[in-house]
Amino acid sequence: VQLQASGGGSVQAGGSLRLSCAASGLDLSRNRYHMGWFRQAPGKEREFVTAIRSGGRTHFADFVEGRFTISRDDAKNTMYLQMNNLKPEDTAIYYCTARNGLRVGYEYSSKGTYNYWGQGTQVTVSS
């Protein structure tokens, strides 16, 4: 199983980026995988950003404030994160993650609830 995150880069404040997470070795739709994005800034804990359940319901951290959109294309086994109006405090490594939705006890904002993690993609926002 592999999650491959891509799309990170360097932008100025107010700019946009679109991250992708391609999954291989698992069938997102068959096992109803829930998916999410976390991020980790230097010297800080990894924190929840957003999640999308197998049925499409979404969750966001408060700091997103309507700037990000999460989506998924199960036919392509891929998840996306559209980030608009980026701020310097959004600078971090962004990790995609997935959890088998057939398991009970899903807590979307908890790192420990997820089975699989990608390698991360760097997002840098300059002021």
Side-chain angles (χ1 to χ4, degrees), residues 46-124:
R46 190 172 299 190
E47 64 178 353
F48 168 74
V49 178
T50 180
I52 184 166
R53 294 179 183 252
S54 60
R57 182 181 177 186
T58 57
H59 306 276
F60 295 91
D62 290 343
F63 61 75
V64 170
E65 299 175 324
R67 300 178 296 129
F68 298 174
T69 302
I70 187 172
S71 61
R72 60 192 288 166
D73 185 337
D74 287 356
K76 295 182 178 180
N77 253 20
T78 303
M79 171 180 65
Y80 305 96
L81 179 62
Q82 176 68 42
M83 302 187 294
N84 298 325
N85 192 21
L86 283 161
K87 305 175 181 180
E89 51 264 43
D90 293 319
T91 295
I93 299 174
Y94 283 70
Y95 298 91
C96 61
T97 187
R99 171 193 168 92
N100 188 322
L102 299 181
R103 295 175 56 195
V104 297
Y106 176 56
E107 298 178 4
Y108 62 84
S109 64
S110 171
K111 295 187 294 291
T113 205
Y114 292 94
N115 304 109
Y116 306 106
W117 291 85
Q119 85 292 355
T121 185
Q122 176 71 47
V123 171
T124 303

Side-chain angles (χ1 to χ4, degrees), residues 4-71:
Q4 183 72 40
S6 62
S10 297
V11 297
Q12 291 190 327
S16 299
L17 284 173
R18 188 192 194 207
L19 307 184
S20 298
C21 176
S24 59
L26 54 81
D27 187 325
L28 296 184
S29 60
R30 180 176 182 180
N31 291 319
R32 303 178 187 175
Y33 278 90
H34 305 310
M35 302 192 75
W37 291 93
F38 284 69
R39 70 184 188 185
Q40 188 166 16
K44 294 189 176 181
E45 294 285 323
R46 190 172 299 190
E47 64 178 353
F48 168 74
V49 178
T50 180
I52 184 166
R53 294 179 183 252
S54 60
R57 182 181 177 186
T58 57
H59 306 276
F60 295 91
D62 290 343
F63 61 75
V64 170
E65 299 175 324
R67 300 178 296 129
F68 298 174
T69 302
I70 187 172
S71 61

